C-alpha cells in the first residue's frame, strides 16, 4: 500500500484572506474605546432613580427641581470618573489613546451644548423643555461617541433619544418621570449588560 498523500497546502490567496481578517479584527479592537464602566453606569442609574423620586416631590418648584438634577449630575460624574479609572487600571488601557480621544470629543460636544441650553432655558423659565433637551443631547452623545466604542453604546443612545422625544410632548411633572426612566432605568439595564459582557 502506498503512503497517504500529505494534505495539499492552502492556496496563497486563502492565506492572504485569513491574514487580512486577523489584521482587520486587531485594528477594530485597537480603534475602539472599550473602557466604558458598566457597573458605574448601573450605580449611576440607581442614584438617578433616587434623584427622580426626590425631584418629583419638588416638581412644583422648578428651581428646586433643577438643583436636584444638577446635584445628581455631579454625583454621576464622580461615579463615572472613578469607575472608568478603575477599569482603565484593570485592563491597562492607555488613557489618551487615539480611540479614547475620539470617543471623548464626540461624547462631550453634545453635553457642552446641553449645559449651555440648560442655563439659557432655566434663565428664561422654560423648565418644561429641560427633560427633553437633556435626554436628546445625552442620547446623541452616546450615538456619536459609540462609533468609537462597543456596539451597545449607540443603541443605548437611541433609547435615550426616544425618551427625549416623549419628554418633549409632556409637561415637567411627567417629564421628570421620563427622566427617571432614562437616567435611572436605561443606565441600570445597559450598565448591567456592559458589565457582564465587557468586563465590568
Amino acid at each position: 500500500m502506498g503512503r497517504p498523500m500529505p494534505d495539499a497546502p492552502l492556496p496563497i490567496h486563502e492565506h492572504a484572506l485569513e491574514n487580512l481578517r486577523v489584521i482587520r479584527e486587531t485594528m477594530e479592537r485597537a480603534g475602539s474605546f472599550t473602557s466604558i464602566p458598566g457597573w458605574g453606569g448601573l450605580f449611576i442609574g440607581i442614584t438617578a432613580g433616587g434623584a427622580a423620586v426626590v425631584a418629583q416631590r419638588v416638581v412644583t418648584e422648578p428651581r428646586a427641581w433643577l438643583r436636584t438634577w444638577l446635584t445628581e449630575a455631579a454625583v454621576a460624574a464622580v461615579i463615572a470618573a472613578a469607575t472608568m479609572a478603575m477599569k482603565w487600571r484593570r485592563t491597562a488601557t492607555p488613557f489618551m489613546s487615539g480611540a479614547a480621544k475620539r470617543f471623548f470629543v464626540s461624547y462631550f460636544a453634545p453635553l457642552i451644548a446641553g449645559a449651555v441650553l440648560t442655563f439659557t432655558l432655566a434663565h428664561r423659565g422654560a423648565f418644561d423643555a429641560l427633560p427633553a433637551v437633556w435626554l436628546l443631547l445625552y442620547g446623541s452623545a452616546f450615538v456619536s461617541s459609540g462609533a468609537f466604542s462597543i456596539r451597545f453604546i449607540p443603541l443605548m443612545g437611541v433609547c435615550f433619544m426616544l425618551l427625549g422625544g416623549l419628554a418633549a410632548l409632556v409637561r415637567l411633572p411627567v417629564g421628570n418621570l421620563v427622566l427617571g426612566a432614562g437616567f435611572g432605568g436605561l443606565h441600570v439595564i445597559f450598565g448591567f449588560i456592559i458589565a457582564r459582557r465587557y468586563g465590568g
Side-chain angles (χ1 to χ4, degrees):
M1 295 180 62
R3 289 181 297 178
M5 295 293 292
D7 293 337
L10 289 174
I12 191 169
H13 71 276
E14 291 190 16
H15 281 295
L17 289 175
E18 178 64 17
N19 290 338
L20 286 173
R21 183 186 64 79
V22 172
I23 292 170
R24 183 176 65 251
E25 291 177 353
T26 302
M27 291 180 67
E28 286 175 353
R29 288 193 296 268
S32 297
F33 179 69
T34 58
S35 293
I36 304 297
W39 294 123
L42 189 148
F43 294 141
I44 288 171
I46 293 172
T47 61
V53 172
V54 174
Q56 194 69 22
R57 295 175 180 173
V58 296
V59 74
T60 56
E61 304 172 35
R63 296 195 180 278
W65 172 87
L66 177 60
R67 286 194 296 271
T68 301
W69 278 109
L70 292 180
T71 301
E72 165 58 22
V75 171
V78 171
I79 293 173
T83 53
M84 189 173 291
M86 291 170 60
K87 191 168 183 179
W88 269 330
R89 287 196 295 269
R90 190 172 66 252
T91 60
T93 302
F95 177 73
M96 292 306 291
S97 67
K101 290 179 181 178
R102 291 190 295 271
F103 175 87
F104 285 118
V105 168
S106 300
Y107 176 77
F108 280 114
L111 297 190
I112 293 171
V116 173
L117 286 173
T118 297
F119 174 81
T120 302
L121 292 171
H123 181 70
R124 297 179 181 179
F127 294 96
D128 283 346
L130 287 176
V133 168
W134 292 345
L135 288 165
L136 286 168
L137 288 175
Y138 190 67
S140 66
F142 281 122
V143 170
S144 59
S145 62
F148 311 107
S149 187
I150 56 182
R151 67 179 64 182
F152 281 100
I153 297 303
L155 176 59
M156 181 171 69
V158 169
C159 291
F160 273 104
M161 294 184 74
L162 290 174
L163 287 180
L166 175 61
L169 304 176
V170 298
R171 301 298 298 271
L172 186 59
V174 180
N176 182 72
L177 297 177
V178 179
L179 276 179
F183 290 138
L186 290 181
H187 270 134
V188 168
I189 293 170
F190 281 94
F192 180 77
I193 293 172
I194 292 169
R196 292 300 298 271
R197 295 195 179 189
Y198 295 96

